[in-house]
Amino acid sequence: MALAAERLRRFKTPLRYVMGALYVLAGVMHFVVPNAYAQVVPPVFPAALALVYISGVAEIALGVGVVFRRTQRIAAWGLIALLVAVFPANVYMATSDIVLEGVPAALREPSDAALWLRLPLQGVLVAWAWWYTRPESDGGVDSSSNR
């Protein structure tokens, strides 16, 4: 098990950059097609468009923050909180037969399987972010230089 953990640790820095880039891209998309995101905000939440913009800013800031070792732990905790906060939107999408307007046809009506598989994927994303919250003594933080 220790050998597997050591092998996985080699990928920690590159995967941190991938994670950061994915969240920045996702955050930017909140500003490119905000109405598509607003459609998946559960109706019990007020000001859907404002929530879309707020979550977009958070994704961009946290995506940038996770890239730098100095801020990676706090940004990773922020990403975990964000993933928990947006989980109701994923549940709403899976349970409400939403047809997204203003998006390419291939994305307009995601399959039920894709929508339901997205729910456990949130757990994977939380675990990925959690990896960057671990203190150095736990082997959780890589030993590369601050970037």
Side-chain angles (χ1 to χ4, degrees):
M1 182 110 137
L3 182 59
E6 188 58 39
R7 287 183 181 164
L8 185 58
R9 203 168 294 133
R10 282 188 277 164
F11 296 103
K12 192 158 189 174
T13 296
L15 287 174
R16 190 174 74 220
Y17 293 122
V18 169
M19 173 186 275
L22 289 175
Y23 281 102
V24 169
L25 177 62
V28 167
M29 292 307 294
H30 283 68
F31 295 92
V32 173
V33 286
N35 291 326
Y37 286 91
Q39 292 172 62
V40 301
V41 175
V44 299
F45 291 101
L49 200 54
L51 292 174
V52 167
Y53 290 132
I54 290 167
S55 61
V57 168
E59 283 188 271
I60 293 167
L62 295 169
V64 170
V66 81
V67 168
F68 298 97
R69 285 198 62 220
R70 174 173 275 166
T71 56
Q72 82 177 22
R73 289 184 71 198
I74 191 72
W77 281 116
L79 287 170
I80 291 168
L82 182 65
L83 289 164
V84 170
V86 302
F87 191 73
N90 293 331
V91 172
Y92 178 66
M93 281 187 71
T95 60
S96 299
D97 294 323
I98 295 172
V99 177
L100 295 172
E101 297 175 13
V103 299
L107 301 175
R108 206 164 286 142
E109 289 186 69
S111 73
D112 286 344
L115 291 172
W116 285 100
L117 285 172
R118 186 174 177 174
L119 299 179
L121 176 62
Q122 293 290 110
V124 172
L125 294 174
V126 166
W128 188 9
W130 182 79
W131 194 21
Y132 296 101
T133 67
R134 308 304 305 144
E136 196 167 334
S137 61
D138 286 352
V141 178
D142 60 47
S143 59
S144 64
S145 63
N146 188 6
R147 294 183 186 148

